[in-house]
Amino acid sequence: MKEIGTPMDWFASPERDTSVMAAWERLIQGGYSPTGALRGMVDESWHRCMDGRVDPDTAGAPPPLEEGPLFDLRVRNDRLMRVSVPFIHQTREFLSQTGTVLLLADPDGMILELAGDTRIMEPAGEVHLIPGCAWNELSCGTNAIGTALVLQQPVQIHGSEHFCAPIKRWTCSATVIRDPLDGTVLGVLDVSGLAQTYSQHSLAFIVSMAGRIESSLGKFAMERRLRLMERCMAYCSGRTDGVIVVDDCGRLVRANPQAPAAFARLGISGALEGAFPIPDIARIAVGSMSPQSAAWLRLAQIERVSEGSDTLGFMLIAPAAARRAALLSDLPLAAESMAAPAFSRIVGTSPALRAAIQKAQQLAKASVPVLLVGETGVGKELFAQGIHQASVRAGGPFIALNCGGMSRDLLTSELFGYAEGAFTGARKSGMTGKIEAANHGTLFLDEIGEMPLDIQPHLLRVLEEGEIYRLGENTARKVDFRLVAATHRDLRADVADGKFRMDLYYRLAVTNISIPPLRERKTDLPSLLEHWLHVLRERYGVADAVFDDAAYDCLLNYAWPGNVRELRNAIEGAVLMAQGGVITVSDLPPEVGACAASAGARQAASSTGAELTRQKVCSLEMAEAESIRMAIQQSEGNLTQAAAQLGIAKSTLYLKIRKYALARDLGVTRHIIR
């Protein structure tokens, strides 16, 4: 960018550079820069840096994130990365001889990706112009990335215009990348090099490239919305429920005609558009965050709509007035504030399951920690919710967090929260951790056995002292919560192997509940099949779907290693695939349907084995009968001699003669064998 009437070659001239340096020195010494010495946006940026107490001797950005947090950062910016990175890599060869690098940063100025001339990588590394480093104005002064984010427009910063002295030997051009659907800033694109690489075309190049990325983002977003609607169509069509479809950012995509009235009953006043977007929809859907400003979300059912591991969006469902109470007690993903009795969502009456529920009901009355032990998919979270609802803390929050699959740093911040500025990339307002969010309620930590060893003593201290420290804070915060933990691991064995702390184990396992796997409560299968078939028929509008006999037998005879979760998924897929309302073996997952073939093979094998056994017995009996016949003939009808020759008792010989009907054939008189 340039001042009106100022030739671009003067923009990077030595004379102007000298003038800008003089203005900077005067400002640093507490004076004022002369009018016209600086471009307006540079002058304003320098004053922001002064107000923010940026050190003018700062040699570059703060140190980069470690590999784990950087990976998490890239995952959080997956949509931007997925579209932008191919464009960035396309420029690699073009930039390889220009002495410049192309950079992609997130909305906080954290660099996500870098490509360009390898000769400039070493000086770029010296100022931390690399992935994982923050280039906002408050971190390293006036620079194209940080200033573009402040102004939200294209920016070119050259040489001495940088606020921090060690960075003044650089030149950079940047512009923001906006979401084409709502205009929010998704990130920033920048090209940087040493001052001698300055080109008046750099800014136009970067603006053009950002435009291409935004166009691709728009196409990408529309394709995802179309796939989202395809997956929701079966539920939305012809339903009496109110259904709202939102994308993965919580933005409204579609609402069926019943939605305004149905959601008005939940508390939405006025047009539905005013309730959107819901930026934390993903965390609310999994129960890891309670909606703070929208009470109606606690009453709506939230269903994730996925494509493999990719979340396309969510369905928000408000049941029709006549069916609302019944559905809220049936649907497993209903909001935590529903009024269903504790443990009512756990289906089954088998002795093993009832014993586990009775133990949980008894333990819910106390506030001691509870450890739930069971295989994946047995319903440990349902037990945790039941304990919460049956306790004196039922009016407080129920906060859930899965300790598996998270990096150490991410899990730490999720558990304990952090203060403003606690680390590079931290939210400006800080973050409340799950422990603090569960105050006066229940904290459910699933897969507790996956928690890293070095985090465990901090959790133990919270349990012992009833207080936490947010990351970056020195002041304790009092917390009062009930902990329910769950694991599929043998924690005693992990303690013995040094993989889990003994002191934390005994603090967690004050009481424990073993939840039986589905294979140990086969008598519950008919009830579970009926329950999930009913729920999923209602959900997808397939009112007449039924199992045929072969499919039903497969479902009853399958071992269900994934337990209730696997059973639910199998029925859900079968309901969606059923033709003509009849669910057959071919509609079941292959591993479940395979039991039909196995049963047939077993039956065939059984029949074949029986026939072989029968044939074998017949052959032996024929041989025995022939031996008896020969012995009697050789003894000329003297049965005493024949029995001795055969090595059997005379009474046994009598029985075998009757068995094989030999009396008439051998001319043995009736009175002798009677």
Side-chain angles (χ1 to χ4, degrees):
M1 295 182 65
K2 66 184 182 67
E3 299 295 308
I4 296 174
T6 302
M8 285 300 295
D9 56 354
W10 182 83
F11 175 73
S13 67
E15 295 81 4
R16 183 174 184 276
D17 203 51
T18 301
S19 174
V20 172
M21 277 299 298
W24 176 79
E25 290 171 355
R26 188 176 293 109
L27 180 68
I28 297 302
Q29 293 168 5
Y32 294 91
S33 55
T35 303
L38 298 175
R39 292 186 294 155
M41 68 173 185
V42 175
D43 188 28
E44 292 170 0
S45 176
W46 282 8
H47 281 87
R48 284 195 297 271
C49 294
M50 293 293 289
D51 293 341
R53 298 187 177 182
V54 177
D55 184 352
D57 291 323
T58 298
L65 296 176
E66 294 181 358
E67 184 177 346
L70 177 58
F71 175 81
D72 295 335
L73 182 68
R74 285 170 165 160
V75 169
R76 290 197 294 273
N77 290 275
D78 176 69
R79 184 164 47 126
L80 176 65
M81 292 282 292
R82 193 181 307 185
V83 173
S84 303
V85 168
F87 284 99
I88 294 173
H89 288 173
Q90 286 172 14
T91 67
R92 190 186 301 273
E93 185 175 353
F94 167 72
L95 295 174
S96 63
Q97 300 301 317
T98 64
T100 61
V101 288
L102 187 66
L103 303 146
L104 176 71
D106 75 356
D108 296 319
M110 293 288 294
I111 297 177
L112 302 170
E113 190 72 12
L114 174 150
D117 195 331
T118 56
R119 295 173 299 175
I120 200 67
M121 295 302 178
E122 183 176 348
E126 291 173 358
V127 296
H128 290 160
L129 193 65
I130 55 175
C133 293
W135 277 80
N136 54 69
E137 283 190 340
L138 292 182
S139 295
C140 41
T142 304
N143 70 91
I145 293 175
T147 306
L149 285 170
V150 172
L151 301 180
Q152 297 194 6
Q153 67 181 44
V155 167
Q156 192 166 33
I157 302 294
H158 176 69
S160 56
E161 289 184 325
H162 290 88
F163 181 77
C164 297
I167 310 175
K168 289 182 179 290
R169 66 189 186 117
W170 287 81
T171 184
C172 47
S173 303
T175 189
V176 293
I177 299 172
R178 295 182 181 275
D179 189 314
L181 296 181
D182 58 19
T184 58
V185 173
L186 298 178
V188 60
L189 198 64
D190 170 89
V191 62
S192 293
L194 296 178
Q196 61 267 28
T197 65
Y198 164 78
S199 169
Q200 60 179 314
H201 303 297
S202 296
L203 189 60
F205 163 72
I206 213 73
V207 169
S208 173
M209 188 172 180
R212 293 166 61 198
I213 291 174
E214 289 176 353
S215 296
S216 292
L217 280 167
K219 181 181 178 182
F220 179 72
M222 292 310 299
E223 289 175 350
R224 286 173 61 84
R225 287 190 165 211
L226 287 173
R227 298 201 303 273
L228 172 63
M229 287 309 306
E230 286 175 2
R231 281 161 174 73
C232 297
M233 194 62 68
Y235 192 93
C236 292
S237 301
R239 304 300 302 165
T240 57
D241 299 334
V243 183
I244 295 173
V245 179
V246 299
D247 66 12
D248 56 328
C249 297
R251 295 174 297 207
L252 180 65
V253 175
R254 181 183 183 275
N256 70 353
Q258 294 77 24
F263 280 90
R265 288 192 292 271
L266 299 188
I268 291 185
S269 57
L272 289 177
E273 288 82 357
F276 299 93
I278 308 170
D280 293 311
I281 183 66
R283 298 176 65 192
I284 294 170
V286 298
S288 65
M289 178 177 180
S290 298
Q292 303 297 321
S293 59
W296 63 271
L297 273 173
R298 300 176 184 174
L299 303 175
Q301 177 194 340
I302 305 177
E303 291 285 351
R304 185 185 297 271
V305 182
S306 301
E307 189 175 68
S309 61
D310 185 20
T311 299
L312 294 176
F314 301 86
M315 284 193 301
L316 311 179
I317 304 167
R323 297 168 48 250
R324 179 181 169 199
L327 278 179
L328 282 177
S329 63
D330 270 341
L331 293 172
L333 297 179
E336 67 218 29
S337 59
M338 62 188 180
F343 303 102
S344 64
R345 293 162 61 201
I346 301 174
V347 178
T349 57
S350 63
L353 182 65
R354 298 318 303 173
I357 292 175
Q358 288 171 7
K359 187 173 183 180
Q361 288 173 327
Q362 182 67 25
L363 294 176
K365 301 173 184 177
S367 289
V368 295
V370 174
L371 179 64
L372 303 175
V373 181
E375 297 176 3
T376 298
V378 295
K380 296 188 285 291
E381 185 162 353
L382 286 181
F383 268 81
Q385 290 174 347
I387 291 170
H388 171 70
Q389 292 163 2
S391 73
V392 295
R393 300 175 181 271
F398 177 84
I399 304 296
L401 177 65
N402 191 311
C403 300
M406 284 189 183
S407 69
R408 177 198 174 280
D409 292 337
L410 182 58
L411 179 58
T412 302
S413 61
E414 286 287 327
L415 272 174
F416 300 100
Y418 54 78
E420 179 177 352
F423 53 86
T424 302
R427 294 180 186 174
K428 293 181 180 179
S429 58
M431 188 184 82
T432 301
K434 297 296 185 295
I435 295 175
E436 195 175 343
N439 197 29
H440 303 303
T442 301
L443 175 65
F444 173 56
L445 294 182
D446 200 2
E447 301 301 347
I448 188 74
E450 307 299 326
M451 179 177 287
L453 273 170
D454 58 345
I455 297 179
Q456 293 177 24
H458 299 287
L459 176 60
L460 178 63
R461 186 186 182 284
V462 173
L463 296 175
E464 297 287 355
E465 305 295 334
E467 60 185 27
I468 67 161
Y469 290 86
R470 287 188 182 182
L471 298 178
E473 280 189 348
N474 296 318
T475 303
R477 295 171 181 259
K478 289 293 183 181
V479 286
D480 175 23
F481 65 96
R482 201 265 183 78
L483 177 64
V484 178
T487 185
H488 69 281
R489 301 170 63 102
D490 183 349
L491 289 188
R492 284 183 178 272
D494 285 350
V495 168
D497 293 340
K499 298 178 181 177
F500 200 84
R501 289 182 63 100
M502 180 182 294
D503 48 6
L504 179 58
Y505 171 73
Y506 286 114
R507 191 69 179 85
L508 293 174
V510 174
T511 57
N512 65 79
I513 300 170
S514 180
I515 304 173
L518 195 50
R519 64 182 174 275
E520 293 180 7
R521 51 187 188 101
K522 285 283 192 178
T523 56
D524 289 336
L525 274 173
S527 298
L528 282 165
L529 293 175
E530 180 181 354
H531 169 79
W532 286 113
L533 184 61
H534 165 71
V535 169
L536 295 165
R537 283 190 308 197
E538 291 285 339
R539 181 168 302 164
Y540 295 111
V542 189
D544 57 347
V546 294
F547 298 111
D548 69 10
D549 290 345
Y552 192 74
D553 287 343
C554 274
L555 293 167
L556 289 179
N557 293 318
Y558 182 60
W560 300 112
N563 295 293
V564 180
R565 183 183 294 122
E566 184 185 11
L567 180 142
R568 172 196 163 160
N569 291 344
I571 298 175
E572 185 170 21
V575 166
L576 292 172
M577 295 300 297
Q579 300 290 329
V582 178
I583 298 172
T584 66
V585 171
S586 62
D587 298 321
L588 300 175
E591 62 275 14
V592 180
C595 75
S598 299
R602 285 194 300 271
Q603 184 175 359
S606 177
S607 299
T608 302
E611 177 61 22
L612 290 173
T613 301
R614 187 187 66 78
Q615 292 176 3
K616 185 175 182 180
V617 170
C618 288
S619 297
L620 290 172
E621 289 179 342
M622 289 174 63
E624 186 177 48
E626 183 62 24
S627 297
I628 292 172
R629 183 182 289 109
M630 292 293 295
I632 293 175
Q633 288 177 346
Q634 291 174 2
S635 64
E636 298 179 349
N638 187 322
L639 298 186
T640 301
Q641 291 181 8
Q645 183 179 338
L646 293 168
I648 60 177
K650 188 175 181 181
S651 59
T652 301
L653 180 59
Y654 289 158
L655 295 174
K656 291 188 179 292
I657 290 174
R658 290 194 182 101
K659 177 181 179 181
Y660 298 131
L662 297 176
R664 184 177 301 175
D665 295 341
L666 296 173
V668 180
T669 58
R670 184 179 300 274
H671 73 277
I672 291 177
I673 63 172
R674 184 172 293 147

